[in-house]
Amino acid sequence: MGKAIGMVEFVTVSAGMTGADTMIKTADVEIVESATVCPGKYIVIISGELSAVKASVEAAKDKNSEKVIDSFVLGNPHDDIFPAIYGATPPENVEALGIMESFSAATAIVAADAAAKTALVKLIELRLARGMCGKSYLLLTGSVSAVTAAIERAEQEAKDRGMLLDSSVIPRPDNRLWQSIL
């Protein structure tokens, strides 16, 4: 896997598939995920060297600018990003649970990366627009103070992008909660 990741979130499936094709033809990048998400949006996540990822994301945005919802390029993503995208990481010894919800999948990933780099927390899950009418959320755990700092940073990132929906920090979540959310 490359040193950078990038994503473009499209309004339509056809724009998304065309964007994915543009991205892989523009530079030497690997498609991490190219899929339809709710409500009929399309996301393309790529990885590779930073310059290649930047070029690919920009090319897709330029070709389909009127159909792009959100996008990003992260030059050095936190190690927890991919495990959190691919599925829930089982929490251990949870002192606090942090949740941040956004209006876009791209913003959720950028906010999760910022949160994970702000404090000693563990990303548990990044739910990207599936079954949520296009909204996305992140779950992270750690000490109450670390989770609070991380969620505050995630909120700021989402606010700056105009995509913050809601967030909360739950101190000492009940173990039975995990059975219903993971």
Side-chain angles (χ1 to χ4, degrees):
M1 187 137 333
K3 296 176 182 163
I5 63 170
M7 176 179 175
V8 183
E9 189 170 352
F10 297 93
V11 174
T12 67
V13 173
S14 60
M17 289 183 183
T18 301
D21 184 64
T22 299
M23 292 166 90
I24 58 177
K25 286 179 177 174
T26 297
D28 184 20
V29 295
E30 177 185 332
I31 291 182
V32 174
E33 185 169 357
S34 181
T36 304
V37 294
C38 294
K41 299 188 308 183
Y42 201 89
I43 62 171
V44 183
I45 303 172
I46 59 170
S47 69
E49 295 301 318
L50 181 58
S51 60
V53 171
K54 281 183 179 179
S56 292
V57 167
E58 287 307 312
K61 287 170 48 180
D62 289 346
K63 187 170 186 173
N64 299 294
S65 62
E66 70 284 349
K67 296 193 177 153
V68 173
I69 295 169
D70 202 357
S71 67
F72 71 83
V73 173
L74 294 174
N76 187 22
H78 192 276
D79 291 340
D80 286 353
I81 292 292
F82 286 110
I85 289 172
Y86 292 134
T89 303
E92 298 175 7
N93 304 321
V94 176
E95 292 180 40
L97 170 66
I99 308 113
M100 198 234 39
E101 189 174 354
S102 72
F103 287 110
S104 83
T107 293
I109 295 172
V110 170
D113 184 64
K117 290 175 178 174
T118 296
L120 186 57
V121 294
K122 180 75 176 164
L123 289 173
I124 299 299
E125 182 176 10
L126 271 165
R127 178 69 54 95
L128 302 179
R130 289 188 177 90
M132 296 183 54
C133 294
K135 298 183 297 181
S136 296
Y137 67 83
L138 63 91
L139 299 177
L140 54 83
T141 62
S143 69
V144 174
S145 61
V147 168
T148 300
I151 289 298
E152 286 173 358
R153 180 66 184 97
E155 285 176 328
Q156 190 58 55
E157 190 67 44
K159 281 180 191 174
D160 290 349
R161 297 167 70 92
M163 296 286 181
L164 178 64
L165 181 59
D166 197 11
S167 68
S168 63
V169 174
I170 303 171
R172 296 173 309 285
D174 191 291
N175 286 334
R176 294 172 289 182
L177 178 62
W178 298 114
Q179 295 170 5
S180 67
I181 63 174
L182 297 180

